[in-house]
């Protein structure tokens, strides 16, 4: 992952900032240049590049584990590691620094940037949470009384904090988009919507929730998010069909009919979706349309009245071509239900041929109604 321009701007914008100290002075302590502890720090400061500074500072940190200037050495090492893109080391020394100066925003931001580069998302989130109130407090601070230099320093620190506040939202969204494991994806989407509910990135996530819960096999939550998706204006015909099936399974007939009718409406009115050929879209329309007509037939069948049987039959006949070609359980049930419709409506004239045909289809295919269809077929033939 490459560092974004936004991140670089933050990193480059620190030169004039003076950060409040709540622990050891890690930026401009008094250094005895002649002392054993001061000499390596001076040498590091004189080095021409970050690559040259790194081994000097590492030597200092190893030699003086309890040195009074250790905070300064750690901070200089962190910056050198950032320049040389040693992100693991940025995090390592940063964690020790956070223990020394827990409210230092720059130290925390350096660690967080490195964790984004490393894509260590689980480790990143709690640090984002900890950094946010520090950044927001500094960003909302009021101008202090003081001379021009003090006011300039305050402005620089405030500008930096403003940038970090924006970056924290960006990082949360970036982490969300980078997740490939569904449970992790859901967790980060929850974090994004909870922490930044008004963010553009937190809106329109319904489909991503649907996909993640579907991948997890969590039907209940998948359905719940499909409902949110259609309420938000989704035009995905598969969502409406799935919701119709779910409503029918729960005995919610009016809802099932409403979702089914919307499915058919979308299939009729939608243009060819992006990424599909006209042939692919036609095949999908035919399939989902047939499934939906079959579903509507199943809504009316249990009503057990002649008008209901007529309505059920009219819907199910529209699904025959697709379901017959597909075979399997849908075609078996369709055959039996059409046989019942023809028997219940009028077992005379041409209807007896249709009743015989469809009961024969149901009796000759495997499924839950095979035995019942065979018995009905015997009675139909005996009555002829």
């Amino acid at each position: 992952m490459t560092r974004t321009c936004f991140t670089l701007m933050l990193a480059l914008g620190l030169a004039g900032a003076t950060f409040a100290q709540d622990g050891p002075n890690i930026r401009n302590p008094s250094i005895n240049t002649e002392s054993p502890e001061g000499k390596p720090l001076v040498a590091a400061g004189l080095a021409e590049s970050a690559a040259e500074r790194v081994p000097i500072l590492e030597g200092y940190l190893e030699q003086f584990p309890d040195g009074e200037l250790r905070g300064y050495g750690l901070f200089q090492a962190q910056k050198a590691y950032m320049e040389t893109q040693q992100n693991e080391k940025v995090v390592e020394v940063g964690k020790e620094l956070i223990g020394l100066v827990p409210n230092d925003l720059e130290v925390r931001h350096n660690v967080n940037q490195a964790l984004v580069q490393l894509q260590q998302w689980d480790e990143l989130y709690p640090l984002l949470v900890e950094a946010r109130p520090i950044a927001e407090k500094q960003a909302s601070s009021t101008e202090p009384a003081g001379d021009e230099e003090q006011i300039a320093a305050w402005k620089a620190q405030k500008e930096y904090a403003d940038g970090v506040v924006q970056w924290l939202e960006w990082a949360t969204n970036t982490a969300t988009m980078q997740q490939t494991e569904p449970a992790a994806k859901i967790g980060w989407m929850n974090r994004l919507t909870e922490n930044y509910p008004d963010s553009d990135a937190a809106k329109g996530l319904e489909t991503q929730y649907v996909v993640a819960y579907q991948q997890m096999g969590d039907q209940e939550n998948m359905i719940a998010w499909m409902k949110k998706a259609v309420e938000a204006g989704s035009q995905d015909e598969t969502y409406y069909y799935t919701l119709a099936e779910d409503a029918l399974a729960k005995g919610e007939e009016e809802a099932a009919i409403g979702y089914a009718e919307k499915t058919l409406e979308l299939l009729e009115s939608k243009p060819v979706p992006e990424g599909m050929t006209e042939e692919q879209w036609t095949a999908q329309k035919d399939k989902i349309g047939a499934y939906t007509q079959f579903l509507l037939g199943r809504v009316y069948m249990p009503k057990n009245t002649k008008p209901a049987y007529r309505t059920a039959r009219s819907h199910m006949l529209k699904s025959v071509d697709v379901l017959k070609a597909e075979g399997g359980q849908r075609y078996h049930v369709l055959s039996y239900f059409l046989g019942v419709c023809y028997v219940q409506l009028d077992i005379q004239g041409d209807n007896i041929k249709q009743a015989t045909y469809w009961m024969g289809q149901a009796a000759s295919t495997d499924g839950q109604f095979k035995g019942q269809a065979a018995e009905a077929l015997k009675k139909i033939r005996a009555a002829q």
Side-chain angles (χ1 to χ4, degrees):
M1 184 185 298
T2 58
R3 186 178 301 178
T4 67
C5 292
F6 180 65
T7 306
L8 286 172
M9 287 174 63
L10 283 175
L12 295 172
L14 298 179
T18 302
F19 289 82
Q21 299 291 309
D22 58 352
N25 189 337
I26 65 170
R27 285 182 175 76
N28 54 356
S30 176
I31 300 175
N32 182 348
T33 59
E34 300 299 321
S35 70
E37 188 177 354
K39 287 180 179 180
L41 294 176
V42 171
L46 296 173
E48 294 185 358
S49 69
E52 292 179 5
R53 285 195 295 278
V54 165
I56 300 173
L57 290 167
E58 288 179 339
Y60 164 78
L61 293 172
E62 183 177 354
Q63 185 179 0
F64 298 98
D66 299 313
E68 62 178 279
L69 298 172
R70 185 171 179 83
Y72 174 78
L74 286 167
F75 185 55
Q76 295 306 311
Q78 188 189 53
K79 293 194 292 185
Y81 287 139
M82 288 191 71
E83 288 186 50
T84 54
Q85 298 184 7
Q86 297 184 62
N87 292 304
E88 294 88 350
K89 294 291 186 68
V90 173
V91 174
E92 181 183 340
V93 299
K95 288 180 177 178
E96 185 175 347
L97 275 167
I98 288 173
L100 296 173
V101 283
N103 292 320
D104 191 295
L105 184 58
E106 184 182 1
V107 167
R108 286 186 173 276
H109 187 53
N110 291 343
V111 171
N112 290 343
Q113 289 183 93
L115 289 173
V116 168
Q117 298 295 320
L118 294 168
Q119 298 190 41
Q120 294 181 3
W121 311 118
D122 290 342
E123 189 173 355
L124 173 67
Y125 181 65
L127 293 176
L128 294 180
V129 172
E130 292 173 7
R132 186 177 179 184
I134 299 171
E136 290 179 343
K137 181 179 179 180
Q138 292 186 16
S140 62
S141 63
T142 56
E143 182 175 331
D147 56 29
E148 290 185 3
E149 183 177 349
Q150 290 173 317
I151 293 174
W154 166 80
K155 286 181 178 179
Q157 182 173 336
K158 186 180 188 309
E159 182 179 354
Y160 179 77
D162 284 334
V164 174
V165 169
Q166 296 176 51
W167 184 93
L168 290 169
E169 180 180 333
W170 171 86
T172 305
N173 182 42
T174 297
T176 302
M177 293 188 296
Q178 291 293 318
Q179 304 308 309
T180 56
E181 197 278 320
K185 182 80 169 180
I186 291 167
W188 275 96
M189 287 192 291
N190 289 343
R191 292 164 179 171
L192 179 62
T193 54
E194 289 167 6
N195 289 310
Y196 302 101
D198 298 325
S199 166
D200 289 340
K203 299 171 184 176
L205 295 176
E206 295 87 2
T207 294
Q208 294 187 54
Y209 272 107
V210 170
V211 172
Y213 279 118
Q214 185 177 42
Q215 290 174 338
M216 292 177 64
D218 187 336
Q219 181 79 3
E220 182 178 352
N221 277 307
M222 183 193 76
I223 291 295
W225 278 99
M226 279 187 177
K227 288 181 179 179
K228 292 180 182 180
V230 300
E231 289 168 2
S234 171
Q235 299 295 293
D236 191 321
E237 65 282 351
T238 65
Y239 287 7
Y240 283 96
Y241 169 70
T242 303
L243 291 173
E245 286 283 7
D246 179 71
L248 180 58
K250 294 173 179 175
E252 300 168 358
E253 291 183 3
E254 288 187 13
I257 293 171
Y259 286 130
E261 289 178 345
K262 180 64 176 180
T263 304
L264 296 175
E265 178 187 319
L266 284 173
L267 293 174
E268 183 68 25
S269 62
K270 274 181 68 171
V272 178
E274 186 177 350
M276 295 182 74
T277 65
E278 188 168 348
E279 292 75 15
Q280 290 171 328
W281 176 230
T282 298
Q284 177 158 314
K285 285 199 298 182
D286 289 347
K287 181 177 181 178
I288 297 177
Y291 284 7
T292 305
Q293 295 288 0
F294 179 48
L295 181 149
L296 286 167
R298 288 182 285 129
V299 171
Y300 289 100
M301 277 288 296
K303 297 182 183 299
N304 197 29
T305 65
K306 286 196 173 185
Y309 282 126
R310 287 193 184 93
T311 303
R313 183 176 63 178
S314 68
H315 284 297
M316 289 190 290
L317 284 172
K318 295 173 184 176
S319 71
V320 168
D321 290 344
V322 171
L323 298 193
K324 185 174 183 179
E326 183 181 90
Q329 283 298 301
R330 280 192 181 89
Y331 182 62
H332 168 78
V333 175
L334 171 71
S335 299
Y336 180 70
F337 283 1
L338 280 173
V340 170
C341 285
Y342 279 107
V343 168
Q344 293 292 336
L345 285 170
D346 188 1
I347 196 69
Q348 297 177 16
D350 188 56
N351 279 355
I352 196 167
K353 295 179 182 179
Q354 294 296 328
T356 302
Y357 174 79
W358 287 113
M359 282 302 181
Q361 290 290 295
S364 63
T365 53
D366 291 332
Q368 66 193 93
F369 298 113
K370 186 172 185 176
Q372 292 168 258
E375 287 298 318
L377 187 60
K378 289 180 183 178
K379 292 178 181 178
I380 294 169
R381 287 172 175 166
Q384 291 181 26

